[in-house]
Amino acid sequence: MAASWGGPLLLVGASGLAREVLPVVAEAGHDVLGVLDDRFAELSLTVGGAPVLGPVTSAAEHPGARLLLCVGPSRTRAAVHGRLTNGATYARVVDPSVRNPAGSPVGEGSILLAGVTITADAVLGTHVVAMPRVTVTHDCVVGDFATLAAGVSLGGGVRVGRAAYVGMNASVYPGVRIGAGAVVGMGAVVLTDVPDGETWAGVPARRITSHAVGAAR
């Protein structure tokens, strides 16, 4: 199943992620009303063929639509979600090429792009973004608003915290925890736990810096 929602769809964020999502939902034949972005006055009239309709707050003008947060940075995606009304409903988009043979749960608002593999007994929270060729193996738990960039591989039993970001082609050793709001650099090899709000990079990955995690809570 390529996508799951009832009614038309609004994409929130005129981003590269939005342009990657649009062909998936178009192929499935679903109705896209358009794109919402606070920079709407600076944007072209369309993004990926979908009309730019106005700012994020104009979502309230489309009560029958479901939303999809196409905001790349994890913490920003969580912050945008916090600005929307409590009554908003969200789509879930899963590319037809995604492999999830055990039926591991994927939360509302999540986006899984081409070639993602979920092996068994994993859990993906709400508004998770998994870019192409991500591998999530057995017993992993990926928290709400987390982002797994293209080519990320999670070993068995990895925990990825709320609004964490794991960079392109990073690998995480089995059983390791990536903390809430943490950032893992591209190509990193993570062998030990990454605390909340810290940025790690390298092979093996080491602490680079730390930052506040308020938006991740």
Side-chain angles (χ1 to χ4, degrees):
M1 182 173 63
S4 174
W5 64 79
L9 179 67
L10 281 170
L11 274 56
V12 179
S15 63
L17 179 57
R19 287 183 279 116
E20 294 192 68
V21 165
L22 280 164
V24 178
V25 297
E27 184 179 44
H30 293 284
D31 178 23
V32 178
L33 291 180
V35 178
L36 307 179
D37 195 294
D38 288 341
R39 303 167 299 146
F40 70 97
E42 307 166 17
L43 299 171
S44 61
L45 296 178
T46 63
V47 171
V52 177
L53 301 177
V56 171
T57 53
S58 64
E61 300 172 11
H62 305 275
R66 292 204 178 190
L67 307 181
L68 191 69
L69 302 182
C70 294
V71 178
S74 301
R75 291 163 58 82
T76 306
R77 192 160 66 251
V80 170
H81 179 270
R83 294 174 51 201
L84 295 165
T85 63
N86 290 334
T89 58
Y90 295 90
R92 178 176 55 246
V93 172
V94 180
D95 188 274
S97 65
V98 169
R99 291 278 299 144
N100 185 9
S104 294
V106 177
E108 70 170 9
S110 290
I111 299 170
L112 277 57
L113 294 180
V116 171
T117 298
I118 306 169
T119 60
D121 299 320
V123 176
L124 276 67
T126 62
H127 306 286
V128 168
V129 172
M131 298 299 283
R133 297 179 294 101
V134 163
T135 300
V136 178
T137 56
H138 66 88
D139 302 305
C140 288
V141 177
V142 181
D144 299 344
F145 302 101
T147 301
L148 307 177
V152 164
S153 295
L154 304 182
V158 166
R159 300 292 191 269
V160 179
R162 178 182 172 87
Y165 181 91
V166 184
M168 187 182 300
N169 293 323
S171 300
V172 184
Y173 190 75
V176 163
R177 176 185 178 273
I178 308 296
V183 175
V184 173
M186 57 188 286
V189 176
V190 184
L191 302 178
T192 59
D193 290 354
V194 176
D196 294 354
E198 292 194 358
T199 297
W200 284 40
V203 181
R206 301 180 187 281
R207 179 182 179 272
I208 302 300
T209 188
S210 61
H211 50 85
V213 295
R217 294 195 180 109

